[in-house]
Amino acid sequence: MDQTIMESGNRKIRVAILGATGYTGEEATRFLLDHPRVEIARLFSLEFVGKKVWEPFPRFSKKLDLVIEEFRADSSLEDCDVVMGCLPHKASMGLLGPLVEKGIKVIDLSADFRFAEVETYSAAYGVEHKYPHLLKEAVYGLPELNRDKLKGCSLVAVPGCYPTSAILGAAPLLKERLVRPSGIIIDAKTGISGAGRAPSARFHFPECNESVSPYGIGKHRHQPEIEEQFSRLYKGEVKVTFAPHLAPMTRGILSTIYLDPQGDVSLDRVRRVYEAMYADEPFVTVLGDGLYPRTADVTGTNSCHIGFTKTAEGKIVVACAIDNLVKGASGQAIQGLNAVFGFDETDGLTRV
Amino acid sequence: MDQTIMESGNRKIRVAILGATGYTGEEATRFLLDHPRVEIARLFSLEFVGKKVWEPFPRFSKKLDLVIEEFRADSSLEDCDVVMGCLPHKASMGLLGPLVEKGIKVIDLSADFRFAEVETYSAAYGVEHKYPHLLKEAVYGLPELNRDKLKGCSLVAVPGCYPTSAILGAAPLLKERLVRPSGIIIDAKTGISGAGRAPSARFHFPECNESVSPYGIGKHRHQPEIEEQFSRLYKGEVKVTFAPHLAPMTRGILSTIYLDPQGDVSLDRVRRVYEAMYADEPFVTVLGDGLYPRTADVTGTNSCHIGFTKTAEGKIVVACAIDNLVKGASGQAIQGLNAVFGFDETDGLTRV
Amino acid sequence: MDQTIMESGNRKIRVAILGATGYTGEEATRFLLDHPRVEIARLFSLEFVGKKVWEPFPRFSKKLDLVIEEFRADSSLEDCDVVMGCLPHKASMGLLGPLVEKGIKVIDLSADFRFAEVETYSAAYGVEHKYPHLLKEAVYGLPELNRDKLKGCSLVAVPGCYPTSAILGAAPLLKERLVRPSGIIIDAKTGISGAGRAPSARFHFPECNESVSPYGIGKHRHQPEIEEQFSRLYKGEVKVTFAPHLAPMTRGILSTIYLDPQGDVSLDRVRRVYEAMYADEPFVTVLGDGLYPRTADVTGTNSCHIGFTKTAEGKIVVACAIDNLVKGASGQAIQGLNAVFGFDETDGLTRV
Amino acid sequence: MDQTIMESGNRKIRVAILGATGYTGEEATRFLLDHPRVEIARLFSLEFVGKKVWEPFPRFSKKLDLVIEEFRADSSLEDCDVVMGCLPHKASMGLLGPLVEKGIKVIDLSADFRFAEVETYSAAYGVEHKYPHLLKEAVYGLPELNRDKLKGCSLVAVPGCYPTSAILGAAPLLKERLVRPSGIIIDAKTGISGAGRAPSARFHFPECNESVSPYGIGKHRHQPEIEEQFSRLYKGEVKVTFAPHLAPMTRGILSTIYLDPQGDVSLDRVRRVYEAMYADEPFVTVLGDGLYPRTADVTGTNSCHIGFTKTAEGKIVVACAIDNLVKGASGQAIQGLNAVFGFDETDGLTRV
């Protein structure tokens, strides 16, 4: 068993959150407040430095009295057991890499350690990787797939929001090779919080309210992430067409996935592989026949709802709903933290 | 030239609206108030009978002073040049059929006269057709495709909202046979007004607000309508996978259409066929490279915005946005009326 | 100390929820699942009888496996320590009255036991009261005011959503008699879930989306409830003008309260009485100078945020935000249950 | 009759829009496209200079082919009959003042020429006025009050959005002195487009969606504007408490106004003064007994809907709904332009 876990014994582990004032940092703070084995020890951000966290975020009033600190290269985090990085892509690796090297456990919500190959990362994100050797150490933090590897690991790369919904949605079919590895289409619809807290013309309320629109079809950086994980599940190269869309809501992702069966695959067979894979998963629900998920049923929770059908034309169509900020980010990060430390995976994540 | 048109001369034609208090009836009334060559002569409904139209709909206050009448089998409409039927599917044919037979021009917004074959209709809507012989007379009211047939015709079958967005979105590719007739996927997102004005648990505000969800994948009655029109354009059988979704907004449809090129089709070639087909269409805009439509840009108007791309994987992806109640219903009905009577197609439809 | 509390010892108390499938019943179930000292024992409803609760509500999948039961007059609830009534006004008393008489503790979310005088109830709700003698026994379940009376009591009348926001918003001023007892205006804005789960034309998504409108000004049944509690606080008759409004959101109430100071009352003085009254209240936050509450900061939580100012014209203006379904209903009911049984008032209510 | 009007004869007048790419500029463009006597001649902005207007705004595709120009101090506008200024407060006067002096008619949507006294302006907006002598020339552009003065005038100061709803809502009571000039409360709820197009943290979609909150109570710059116009109507000093609120919708303002009757004023009397004042107003509708306006019924139109009641407590409560961008800005500007040039006031504004 991992040393850290043993050391922690019955005391609560101490968590520092970097990027605490973005949406994922705030969300991590909300859930960790309910975690029976975690103490939120320190909050870092570039904004609101020196303020009590409840000043900019009145929801924390009477719940958490920490001062927001500025993170510096020499900030000592030796009083913390684990760091949760809620930082932007590209900025994240430079701040978290040294912490991993110092032996602090790191849960990174950015994309910086998600890829096996440094070339894939550089191609997708357009920068050199600063800590390429850590890619080998990082575990892709989807507990439903990588539970065993997460236990005791030093660096968790929390999956992206879109990839989480796509992977959980398609995993049973890919793993059992019931579908062809090409021609897969993922039409995803996201709430606006997926774009983060920084204001911009595109996410100004009157611009995106009452509107649905696609963006970056075939060019989104989550596509290579999805393809890498799909390929791993399929044990062979898988390519997808990924089309993200903005929907006029704050939270939620619905991925509708279109796949071609490999050979003769009945709807019953499809159901059996989903139920087999997810029977004991605390956060994944396979809906009954003819039922499809609604994002509203999962928002605010770490749950994932999946429904599917097979059409007369022979397509298998799967719909998978999560909350982009919870199962798609901070909730999944906490689930990963639980897996790392050997806690019950639902600790802190019991909200429905 | 059609007799009616000649007779009307410079006088305004008189329109009766059946089903005036549903969303499409109200919308038709709103637009027709601005129509330079139309007079709204009579409004019929089962609700609010005997009331001035501005009592239930204060927006018509000081604009339209008609009393809502109850429509009966023997209601004489001889004082009207044209009837706009904004009635539910299945109920529509029984009320409109006799009017067509009496020689009154009819614009039917229901699905009852949209199919060439009575069997297709019965299979999709689960009832016997009461006026099968009129299917031959009816013209599918998409002016961009059937302008010539609409001129002077006696019965216009206004296309469904989803089919309008799918057909305008895919027509140039199908007509030019640049895509394969199978494997086409239409992932459509609609605003809630598409469900009509009757309240139900599913469309209760707290149930559908802040939620995206699919429904009836592969089973929606608009699928055979889309397939019939796609096949007509392709001059060969076309099959589609149609997946409708509810989005938390009042109006708008975005159809994202995934197609496989037939042979080697460049993005340039795609652009050329769209621009060729829609160059002179007053209501269809082909967006520039890398741009995709937002439903908010077309709501409240009869416009249709189209954007497309070709992915590295070789899929052609087209996104097409309309307002489900305007270009997807009442606006298109007025455009059809204009085509029937030889008016300028934009009459009454100039709002942007 | 109350017998029940002593009996319960360390075992969890068993709760039955009547009306489990309405919004407040569902919300109570969600929060009670997290309660360390409560076991949800039985769920009753008129709908979905015989189904597992996760069938109509997939959010409870893998969390709660109870079958929904039909409640009958002879339903024995002797295996339960407390009943939470999430029933409609007027229907509630007939079902809950007998339970109280049998000695089962009852937390009633309806209005049926909220008034001290049976005449006030009958005037507001237009029916005879079936259990007028129980009005004396009932405690108005606002723990911030009635904590002591709630302890061990047999019947809790959970306050209405609007009254909760109005009372918490104005209590310090009324209690200290810093404001005049007349001319008070409460302009309240509510999310649509306040109307309950039953669909109707008025709460059909396209009808209330993107719209704000007042209703029932001066005639709402929460007005006499507010006046009774205001009068109790003021120890003298208080009258208000109450104007409720619908706002296009699912949850949340913001009450903006306009009051006239009695004599010379500085803003500092106002602040002091708020801070004094709410300093130790776990769910009430008094915001800093110049800050006003946003309903989004309290939705999904049992929190209440209050901000205020004094205008140049001499009005004291207070804004008070709660979640209508939580602090305005089910959360408050659980807080009341906690008070009754001597639990920590925040048990089950720690979400922020 | 005004010279300009005579000169224009039957030709269309030419309008230049300054600030064409903000919300009010875009809205003015949309409505003017439908105006039978106006030609949109030139569009100016600091953004998108050199682009066709349909590039950033695809809704104008195939409708308007103008290039967006940069406005400079020496930009000659001699080819235009009238300039519509859709510019920010404070910046507006410096650009429009010289045009007025050159004899070009100006419709200014900013606050810069709305006050009679330069001191009131400076106190509210915190800057020196650059063209104080023009304040005498400017006519407050609420045609329902100032129709006669608008005819042929050289400078129209279009009212603010909040003031329009407050003034139209209270005018009959103030003019007839049926209410007291003190203690008036205006609780206003606005859609987010009122904040303009510039993105900011506060109007970022996830921040204001699903939330209602007040801001700047007693400190909003529209309060002195309201007080000046109320005082003018009352012919005596009137003071108000003005409390603006953000509501989660794109468009619409609802002002709920609370007034104390002066002496014995029956609800019938109230109705009579409203109906008398607004009977012939094309854009103002007084709703029937017991009815209140919904903002959704007026959005997209130049209409104003008013409902009222008198409570048991003796308050008169008036609710007044407009679209903040139409009757509260660009529609009213066009109505003012129509009044200036002697056109039918509804020209270009017939949408319902």
Side-chain angles (χ1 to χ4, degrees):
Chain A
M1 202 192 190
D2 182 76
Q3 193 60 15
T4 313
I5 306 170
M6 296 193 322
E7 277 169 13
S8 77
N10 283 328
R11 77 162 168 85
K12 291 189 173 187
I13 61 164
R14 291 170 55 85
V15 178
I17 299 175
L18 269 58
T21 64
Y23 285 141
T24 57
E26 182 188 2
E27 197 74 3
T29 308
R30 294 170 73 177
F31 278 87
L32 286 174
L33 276 173
D34 268 350
H35 197 295
R37 307 202 52 182
V38 166
E39 178 193 347
I40 303 173
R42 300 177 68 179
L43 300 175
F44 294 90
S45 176
L46 296 175
E47 290 187 290
F48 309 114
V49 173
K51 290 196 189 297
K52 292 290 181 94
V53 65
W54 46 259
E55 292 182 79
F57 301 104
R59 71 172 68 246
F60 294 125
S61 181
K62 301 189 175 185
K63 314 285 180 180
L64 188 63
D65 201 41
L66 293 178
V67 169
I68 298 169
E69 303 175 66
E70 187 179 355
F71 187 74
R72 301 169 187 223
D74 62 348
S75 291
S76 169
L77 288 171
E78 279 155 29
D79 58 339
C80 294
D81 299 291
V82 57
V83 166
M84 197 164 277
C86 300
L87 301 163
H89 309 309
K90 303 185 226 179
S92 190
M93 56 184 163
L95 294 168
L96 299 180
L99 298 174
V100 178
E101 297 193 330
K102 278 188 210 166
I104 297 171
K105 290 198 182 296
V106 168
I107 318 282
D108 179 16
L109 282 83
S110 88
D112 289 356
F113 297 99
R114 287 184 198 152
F115 295 93
E117 304 299 329
V118 72
E119 293 74 22
T120 324
Y121 176 79
S122 295
Y125 288 84
V127 291
E128 289 291 295
H129 203 292
K130 290 181 185 160
Y131 290 82
H133 58 287
L134 292 182
L135 292 179
K136 300 273 173 287
E137 229 169 284
V139 178
Y140 192 73
L142 198 60
E144 287 78 5
L145 300 186
N146 295 333
R147 192 160 280 137
D148 293 342
K149 287 186 204 158
L150 285 165
K151 203 166 200 174
C153 83
S154 56
L155 173 55
V156 179
V158 181
C161 51
Y162 285 128
T164 296
S165 70
I167 298 165
L168 291 176
L173 297 172
L174 291 164
K175 214 171 146 193
E176 300 298 325
R177 292 191 153 225
L178 298 189
V179 289
R180 288 192 219 150
S182 63
I184 297 172
I185 287 164
I186 302 163
D187 185 297
K189 301 89 179 164
T190 188
I192 310 297
S193 63
R197 183 165 252 139
S200 72
R202 198 163 150 212
F203 307 118
H204 189 47
F205 184 91
E207 294 303 305
C208 49
N209 186 38
E210 293 292 296
S211 199
V212 167
S213 67
Y215 67 100
I217 299 174
K219 295 181 180 167
H220 195 283
R221 297 179 301 190
H222 282 174
Q223 182 167 325
E225 184 181 336
I226 292 169
E227 288 174 338
E228 178 166 328
Q229 298 299 324
F230 273 28
S231 299
R232 205 170 278 195
L233 283 158
Y234 189 74
K235 298 195 195 340
E237 191 178 41
V238 181
K239 289 288 181 186
V240 307
T241 294
F242 176 57
H245 295 72
L246 295 174
M249 56 190 187
T250 297
R251 286 162 176 255
I253 285 183
L254 183 90
S255 287
T256 313
I257 313 171
Y258 302 85
L259 312 104
D260 292 306
Q262 191 133 248
D264 192 27
V265 179
S266 70
L267 184 56
D268 266 6
R269 180 83 193 283
V270 171
R271 175 161 295 282
R272 282 198 305 274
V273 298
Y274 276 87
E275 291 186 344
M277 181 161 176
Y278 294 134
D280 298 325
E281 286 299 337
F283 297 114
V284 185
T285 289
V286 180
L287 300 173
D289 284 334
L291 299 179
Y292 297 106
R294 304 187 312 160
T295 61
D297 285 331
V298 297
T299 44
T301 81
N302 201 49
S303 301
C304 170
H305 287 186
I306 299 173
F308 43 72
T309 194
K310 193 180 164 194
T311 69
E313 287 314 292
K315 288 273 178 194
I316 297 174
V317 187
V318 183
C320 178
I322 59 168
D323 182 324
N324 57 305
L325 290 181
V326 190
K327 184 62 178 164
S330 309
Q332 180 130 280
I334 294 169
Q335 192 184 349
L337 178 153
N338 289 338
V340 169
F341 286 89
F343 300 156
D344 187 316
E345 268 182 39
T346 64
D347 277 355
L349 299 170
T350 54
R351 298 182 185 193
V352 293
Chain B
M1 202 190 191
D2 182 77
Q3 194 62 13
T4 312
I5 307 169
M6 298 194 318
E7 278 170 11
S8 79
N10 283 328
R11 78 160 169 86
K12 291 188 172 187
I13 62 162
R14 291 171 54 86
V15 177
I17 299 176
L18 269 58
T21 64
Y23 284 141
T24 57
E26 182 187 2
E27 197 73 3
T29 309
R30 293 170 75 177
F31 278 87
L32 286 173
L33 276 173
D34 267 351
H35 197 295
R37 306 202 53 182
V38 166
E39 178 193 347
I40 302 172
R42 301 177 69 179
L43 299 175
F44 294 91
S45 176
L46 296 176
E47 291 187 289
F48 308 114
V49 172
K51 290 195 188 300
K52 292 291 181 94
V53 66
W54 45 260
E55 292 183 79
F57 301 104
R59 70 171 69 249
F60 294 126
S61 180
K62 302 191 173 184
K63 313 287 178 178
L64 187 64
D65 201 40
L66 292 178
V67 169
I68 297 169
E69 305 175 64
E70 187 179 355
F71 187 75
R72 302 168 186 224
D74 62 345
S75 291
S76 169
L77 288 170
E78 279 155 29
D79 57 341
C80 294
D81 299 291
V82 57
V83 166
M84 195 163 279
C86 300
L87 301 162
H89 308 312
K90 303 185 225 179
S92 190
M93 57 186 164
L95 293 168
L96 299 181
L99 299 173
V100 179
E101 296 193 330
K102 277 189 209 166
I104 296 170
K105 289 195 182 298
V106 168
I107 318 281
D108 179 15
L109 281 83
S110 87
D112 289 356
F113 297 100
R114 287 183 197 152
F115 293 93
E117 303 300 328
V118 71
E119 292 75 20
T120 325
Y121 175 78
S122 296
Y125 288 84
V127 292
E128 289 290 297
H129 204 292
K130 291 182 183 159
Y131 290 83
H133 59 285
L134 291 182
L135 291 178
K136 301 271 170 295
E137 229 168 286
V139 177
Y140 192 73
L142 198 60
E144 286 78 5
L145 299 186
N146 296 333
R147 191 161 279 136
D148 293 343
K149 288 186 203 156
L150 285 165
K151 202 167 202 173
C153 83
S154 57
L155 172 56
V156 179
V158 180
C161 51
Y162 284 128
T164 296
S165 69
I167 298 165
L168 291 176
L173 297 172
L174 291 164
K175 213 170 146 194
E176 300 298 325
R177 292 190 153 227
L178 298 188
V179 289
R180 288 193 220 148
S182 63
I184 297 173
I185 287 163
I186 302 162
D187 185 297
K189 300 88 180 166
T190 188
I192 310 296
S193 63
R197 183 164 253 139
S200 73
R202 199 162 149 213
F203 306 118
H204 189 48
F205 184 90
E207 295 303 305
C208 49
N209 187 37
E210 293 292 296
S211 200
V212 167
S213 67
Y215 67 99
I217 299 174
K219 296 182 178 165
H220 195 284
R221 296 179 300 192
H222 283 173
Q223 182 167 324
E225 183 181 337
I226 292 168
E227 289 175 337
E228 177 165 330
Q229 298 299 324
F230 273 29
S231 299
R232 204 171 278 193
L233 282 158
Y234 189 77
K235 297 196 193 350
E237 191 178 41
V238 181
K239 289 287 181 185
V240 305
T241 294
F242 176 57
H245 295 72
L246 295 173
M249 56 190 187
T250 297
R251 287 160 175 255
I253 285 183
L254 182 90
S255 287
T256 314
I257 313 171
Y258 301 85
L259 312 105
D260 292 306
Q262 190 133 246
D264 191 28
V265 180
S266 70
L267 184 56
D268 265 8
R269 180 81 193 284
V270 171
R271 175 160 296 282
R272 283 198 303 275
V273 298
Y274 276 87
E275 291 186 343
M277 181 161 177
Y278 294 134
D280 298 326
E281 286 300 335
F283 296 113
V284 185
T285 289
V286 180
L287 300 174
D289 284 336
L291 299 179
Y292 297 105
R294 304 188 313 162
T295 60
D297 285 332
V298 298
T299 44
T301 80
N302 200 49
S303 301
C304 169
H305 288 185
I306 298 173
F308 43 72
T309 194
K310 194 181 165 195
T311 69
E313 287 315 292
K315 289 273 178 194
I316 297 173
V317 187
V318 183
C320 178
I322 60 168
D323 182 324
N324 57 304
L325 291 180
V326 190
K327 185 61 179 165
S330 309
Q332 181 130 279
I334 294 169
Q335 191 184 351
L337 178 153
N338 288 339
V340 168
F341 285 89
F343 299 155
D344 187 315
E345 266 181 42
T346 66
D347 278 355
L349 298 170
T350 54
R351 296 182 187 195
V352 293
Chain C
M1 202 191 189
D2 182 75
Q3 194 61 14
T4 312
I5 306 170
M6 296 193 318
E7 278 169 13
S8 78
N10 283 327
R11 79 161 168 87
K12 292 189 171 187
I13 61 164
R14 291 171 55 85
V15 178
I17 300 176
L18 268 57
T21 63
Y23 285 141
T24 57
E26 182 188 2
E27 197 74 1
T29 308
R30 293 170 73 177
F31 277 87
L32 286 174
L33 275 173
D34 267 351
H35 198 296
R37 307 201 54 182
V38 166
E39 178 194 345
I40 303 173
R42 301 177 68 179
L43 299 176
F44 293 91
S45 176
L46 296 175
E47 290 187 290
F48 308 114
V49 173
K51 288 196 189 299
K52 291 292 181 93
V53 65
W54 45 260
E55 292 182 79
F57 300 105
R59 70 171 68 247
F60 294 125
S61 180
K62 302 191 172 182
K63 314 285 181 182
L64 188 64
D65 201 41
L66 292 177
V67 169
I68 298 169
E69 304 175 66
E70 188 179 356
F71 187 75
R72 301 170 187 224
D74 62 347
S75 291
S76 168
L77 288 171
E78 279 153 30
D79 58 340
C80 293
D81 299 291
V82 58
V83 166
M84 196 163 279
C86 300
L87 302 163
H89 309 310
K90 303 186 224 179
S92 191
M93 57 185 166
L95 293 168
L96 298 180
L99 298 174
V100 178
E101 296 193 330
K102 276 189 210 166
I104 297 171
K105 290 197 181 296
V106 167
I107 317 281
D108 180 15
L109 281 83
S110 87
D112 288 357
F113 297 99
R114 287 183 197 152
F115 294 94
E117 305 299 329
V118 70
E119 293 75 21
T120 325
Y121 175 79
S122 294
Y125 288 84
V127 291
E128 290 292 297
H129 203 292
K130 290 182 183 159
Y131 291 82
H133 58 286
L134 291 181
L135 292 179
K136 300 272 173 289
E137 227 168 287
V139 177
Y140 191 73
L142 198 60
E144 287 78 7
L145 300 186
N146 296 333
R147 192 161 280 136
D148 293 342
K149 287 186 204 158
L150 284 166
K151 203 166 201 173
C153 82
S154 56
L155 173 56
V156 178
V158 181
C161 52
Y162 284 128
T164 296
S165 70
I167 298 165
L168 290 176
L173 298 172
L174 291 164
K175 214 172 145 193
E176 300 297 325
R177 291 190 154 227
L178 298 189
V179 289
R180 288 193 219 148
S182 63
I184 297 173
I185 287 164
I186 301 163
D187 185 297
K189 302 88 179 162
T190 188
I192 310 296
S193 62
R197 182 164 252 140
S200 72
R202 199 163 151 213
F203 306 117
H204 189 49
F205 185 91
E207 294 302 306
C208 49
N209 187 39
E210 293 292 296
S211 199
V212 167
S213 66
Y215 67 99
I217 299 174
K219 295 182 178 164
H220 195 283
R221 297 178 301 190
H222 282 174
Q223 182 167 324
E225 184 182 336
I226 293 168
E227 289 175 337
E228 178 166 328
Q229 298 299 324
F230 273 28
S231 298
R232 204 170 279 194
L233 283 159
Y234 189 76
K235 298 195 193 346
E237 191 178 42
V238 181
K239 290 286 181 188
V240 306
T241 295
F242 177 57
H245 296 71
L246 295 174
M249 56 190 186
T250 297
R251 287 160 176 256
I253 285 183
L254 183 91
S255 287
T256 313
I257 313 171
Y258 301 85
L259 312 104
D260 292 305
Q262 191 134 246
D264 191 27
V265 179
S266 70
L267 183 56
D268 265 5
R269 179 82 193 282
V270 170
R271 175 161 295 282
R272 282 198 304 274
V273 299
Y274 276 86
E275 290 186 345
M277 181 161 177
Y278 294 134
D280 298 326
E281 286 300 338
F283 296 114
V284 185
T285 289
V286 180
L287 300 174
D289 285 335
L291 299 178
Y292 297 106
R294 304 188 313 162
T295 60
D297 285 332
V298 297
T299 44
T301 81
N302 200 50
S303 301
C304 169
H305 286 186
I306 299 173
F308 44 72
T309 194
K310 193 179 165 196
T311 69
E313 287 314 292
K315 288 273 179 196
I316 296 173
V317 187
V318 183
C320 178
I322 59 167
D323 182 324
N324 57 304
L325 290 181
V326 191
K327 185 61 179 164
S330 309
Q332 181 132 277
I334 294 170
Q335 192 185 349
L337 179 154
N338 289 338
V340 168
F341 285 89
F343 300 155
D344 187 315
E345 267 182 41
T346 64
D347 277 355
L349 298 171
T350 53
R351 297 182 186 194
V352 292
Chain D
M1 202 190 189
D2 182 77
Q3 194 63 12
T4 311
I5 308 168
M6 297 196 318
E7 277 170 11
S8 78
N10 282 328
R11 79 159 167 88
K12 291 188 173 187
I13 62 163
R14 290 171 55 86
V15 178
I17 299 176
L18 268 57
T21 64
Y23 285 142
T24 56
E26 182 188 0
E27 197 74 3
T29 309
R30 292 171 74 177
F31 278 86
L32 286 174
L33 276 173
D34 267 350
H35 197 296
R37 307 201 52 183
V38 165
E39 178 193 347
I40 302 173
R42 300 176 70 179
L43 299 175
F44 293 91
S45 176
L46 295 176
E47 290 187 291
F48 309 114
V49 173
K51 289 196 188 300
K52 291 292 181 92
V53 66
W54 46 260
E55 292 183 78
F57 301 104
R59 71 171 69 247
F60 295 125
S61 180
K62 302 189 171 183
K63 313 286 178 179
L64 186 64
D65 201 40
L66 292 177
V67 169
I68 297 169
E69 304 175 65
E70 187 179 356
F71 187 75
R72 302 167 186 223
D74 63 345
S75 290
S76 168
L77 288 171
E78 279 155 29
D79 58 340
C80 294
D81 300 290
V82 58
V83 166
M84 195 162 281
C86 301
L87 301 162
H89 309 311
K90 303 185 225 177
S92 191
M93 57 185 165
L95 294 167
L96 299 180
L99 298 173
V100 179
E101 297 193 329
K102 278 189 208 165
I104 296 170
K105 290 197 182 295
V106 168
I107 318 281
D108 180 14
L109 282 82
S110 88
D112 289 356
F113 297 99
R114 287 183 196 153
F115 294 94
E117 304 300 329
V118 72
E119 292 76 19
T120 324
Y121 175 79
S122 294
Y125 288 84
V127 291
E128 291 290 295
H129 204 292
K130 290 181 182 158
Y131 291 83
H133 58 285
L134 291 182
L135 291 179
K136 301 271 170 292
E137 227 169 285
V139 177
Y140 192 73
L142 198 60
E144 287 78 5
L145 300 186
N146 295 332
R147 191 162 279 135
D148 293 343
K149 288 184 203 156
L150 284 165
K151 203 166 202 174
C153 83
S154 57
L155 173 56
V156 178
V158 180
C161 51
Y162 284 128
T164 296
S165 69
I167 298 165
L168 291 176
L173 298 172
L174 291 164
K175 213 171 146 193
E176 300 299 325
R177 293 190 152 226
L178 298 189
V179 289
R180 288 192 220 148
S182 63
I184 297 171
I185 287 164
I186 301 163
D187 185 298
K189 300 89 179 163
T190 188
I192 310 296
S193 63
R197 182 165 253 138
S200 72
R202 199 163 149 211
F203 307 118
H204 189 46
F205 184 91
E207 295 302 306
C208 50
N209 187 37
E210 293 292 296
S211 201
V212 167
S213 67
Y215 66 100
I217 299 175
K219 295 181 180 167
H220 195 284
R221 297 178 302 191
H222 282 173
Q223 182 167 324
E225 184 181 336
I226 292 169
E227 289 176 337
E228 177 165 330
Q229 297 300 323
F230 274 28
S231 299
R232 203 171 277 192
L233 282 158
Y234 189 75
K235 296 193 192 355
E237 191 179 43
V238 181
K239 289 287 180 188
V240 305
T241 294
F242 176 57
H245 295 71
L246 295 174
M249 56 190 188
T250 297
R251 287 160 176 255
I253 285 183
L254 183 90
S255 287
T256 313
I257 313 171
Y258 302 85
L259 312 105
D260 293 305
Q262 191 134 246
D264 191 27
V265 180
S266 70
L267 184 57
D268 265 7
R269 180 82 193 284
V270 170
R271 174 160 296 282
R272 284 198 302 275
V273 299
Y274 276 88
E275 290 186 343
M277 182 161 176
Y278 294 134
D280 298 327
E281 286 300 337
F283 295 114
V284 185
T285 289
V286 180
L287 299 174
D289 285 335
L291 298 179
Y292 297 106
R294 303 188 313 161
T295 60
D297 285 332
V298 298
T299 44
T301 81
N302 201 49
S303 301
C304 170
H305 287 186
I306 298 173
F308 43 72
T309 193
K310 193 181 166 194
T311 69
E313 287 315 291
K315 288 272 178 195
I316 297 173
V317 187
V318 183
C320 178
I322 60 168
D323 182 324
N324 57 304
L325 291 181
V326 190
K327 184 61 178 167
S330 309
Q332 181 130 281
I334 295 169
Q335 191 185 351
L337 178 154
N338 289 337
V340 169
F341 285 90
F343 299 155
D344 187 315
E345 266 182 42
T346 65
D347 278 355
L349 298 171
T350 53
R351 296 183 187 192
V352 292

